[in-house]
């Protein structure tokens, strides 16, 4: 779709259709704030009058699994961006451009991995019914770890019950499969924020410590193994979703 306006990322390559980006970091490191920045990129126009706004002019979907998305805060950041891009515009123009941009933002709040997968699976129909005039430029999940603990509990209960691994599919498999299907059919940039639970010992001396992947079967860019507690079906594909960029934030 276009530049991320993150210099380190854009120096490598602008974001392309169907790219998958993971943003990982401990609490209060700015994952959601960075996500707001990328959402604003997506929904603002390319230009207004003769002024370049450098947006993508596309629809964006935020799946707020953490229940922390703040529309008022987002609107403040959106208007601040517009004021920088339109320094001579009055308040009425800024509000009008912001209002038009906000119409391209769609918020969903599922309460489980099953609801999350169903939301994504139904996104093509939602797009056809509600977004006929807009291309889906970005889909974000904040965060992909939101249901980690209940899913892990279910996983452990399955193990205790002696469930056959081949007959059990980890809930996240369905989520990633749905994301991959949407990625291939509609090509949005997919942004996934992720918790940082366990530091990677090999990176403890580096300026920015990296973190082990605690989710399965989510891609683990810094590890060839997944956590031992995961109940792995023998016939499950190891990765259902490619990962094009990983961003680690530190406190």
């Amino acid at each position: 779709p276009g530049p991320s306006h993150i210099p380190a990322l854009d120096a490598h390559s602008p974001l392309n259709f169907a790219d998958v980006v993971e943003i990982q970091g401990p609490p209060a490191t700015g994952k959601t704030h960075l996500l707001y920045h990328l959402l604003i990129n997506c929904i603002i126009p390319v230009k207004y009058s003769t002024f370049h706004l450098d947006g993508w002019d596309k629809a964006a979907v935020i799946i707020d699994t953490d229940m922390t998305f703040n529309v008022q805060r987002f609107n403040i950041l959106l208007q601040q961006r517009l004021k920088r891009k339109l320094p001579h515009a009055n308040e009425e123009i800024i509000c009008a451009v912001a209002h038009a941009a906000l119409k391209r933002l769609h918020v969903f709040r599922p309460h489980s991995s099953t609801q999350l997968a169903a939301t994504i699976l139904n996104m093509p129909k939602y797009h056809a019914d509600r977004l006929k005039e807009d291309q889906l430029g970005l889909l974000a999940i904040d965060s992909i770890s939101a249901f980690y603990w209940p899913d892990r509990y279910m996983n452990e209960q399955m193990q205790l019950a002696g469930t056959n691994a081949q007959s059990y599919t980890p809930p996240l498999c369905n989520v990633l499969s749905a994301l991959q299907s949407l990625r291939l059919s509609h090509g949005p940039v997919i942004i996934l924020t992720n918790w940082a639970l366990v530091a990677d010992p090999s990176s403890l001396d580096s300026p920015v410590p990296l973190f082990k992947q605690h989710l399965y079967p989510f891609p683990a860019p810094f590890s060839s193994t997944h956590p031992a507690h995961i109940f792995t079906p023998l016939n499950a594909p190891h990765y259902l979703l490619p990962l094009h960029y990983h961003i680690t934030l530190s406190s």
Side-chain angles (χ1 to χ4, degrees), residues 168-183:
Y168 173 69
T169 301
L172 190 61
C173 278
N174 296 324
V175 173
L176 299 184
S177 179
L179 281 171
Q180 176 68 343
S181 177
L182 182 68
R183 175 179 169 269

Side-chain angles (χ1 to χ4, degrees), residues 33 62 64 66 69 71 116 118 123 127 145 180 185 217 229 245:
H33 191 85
I62 168 70
D64 180 27
D66 279 345
F69 185 78
V71 176
L116 175 57
M123 199 58 63
H127 182 269
S145 289
Q180 176 68 343
S185 64
H229 69 265
Y245 299 100

Side-chain angles (χ1 to χ4, degrees), residues 23-221:
I23 303 173
Q24 189 174 32
T29 52
K31 297 187 295 295
T32 299
H33 191 85
L34 177 55
L35 187 59
Y36 285 3
H37 167 83
L38 295 170
L39 287 167
I40 290 171
N41 289 345
C42 182
I43 64 175
I44 63 174
V46 176
K47 62 187 301 186
Y48 175 81
S49 184
T50 59
F51 294 92
H52 290 276
L53 302 183
D54 301 321
W56 302 354
D57 200 19
K58 297 186 180 353
V61 168
I62 168 70
I63 303 181
D64 180 27
T65 55
D66 279 345
M67 307 295 170
T68 58
F69 185 78
N70 188 320
V71 176
Q72 291 182 327
R73 174 62 178 161
F74 183 81
N75 186 43
I76 290 171
L77 294 173
L78 171 60
Q79 293 198 30
Q80 287 176 347
R81 172 86 70 91
L82 293 174
K83 287 176 181 178
R84 290 197 299 271
K85 293 291 186 178
L86 301 170
H88 304 297
N90 59 35
E91 195 69 22
E92 183 179 356
I93 291 175
I94 295 295
C95 288
V97 177
H99 182 71
L102 286 170
K103 287 184 176 180
R104 300 189 192 97
L105 181 67
H106 303 259
V107 182
F108 295 84
R109 284 179 167 152
H111 295 275
S112 68
S113 290
T114 300
Q115 289 185 8
L116 175 57
T119 298
I120 300 166
L121 281 172
N122 281 281
M123 199 58 63
K125 185 177 187 307
Y126 182 86
H127 182 269
D129 293 343
R130 303 289 187 89
L131 306 175
K132 294 178 181 178
E133 305 301 322
D134 288 315
Q135 184 177 6
L136 181 58
L138 186 149
L139 181 139
I141 301 178
D142 188 26
S143 77
I144 195 68
S145 289
F147 309 120
Y148 168 70
W149 291 114
D151 288 350
R152 176 170 172 175
Y153 174 78
M154 183 193 309
N155 182 77
E156 292 175 350
Q157 292 301 109
M158 290 288 188
Q159 286 180 306
L160 290 173
T163 302
N164 187 332
Q166 289 183 312
S167 65
Y168 173 69
T169 301
L172 190 61
C173 278
N174 296 324
V175 173
L176 299 184
S177 179
L179 281 171
Q180 176 68 343
S181 177
L182 182 68
R183 175 179 169 269
L184 295 177
S185 64
H186 287 67
V189 172
I190 295 174
I191 311 290
L192 307 170
T193 67
N194 195 3
W195 298 348
L197 296 183
V198 181
D200 185 343
S202 64
S203 69
L204 292 180
D205 295 329
S206 66
V208 179
L210 304 177
F211 298 89
K212 290 185 175 181
Q213 184 56 264
H214 55 279
L215 300 174
Y216 179 85
F218 197 80

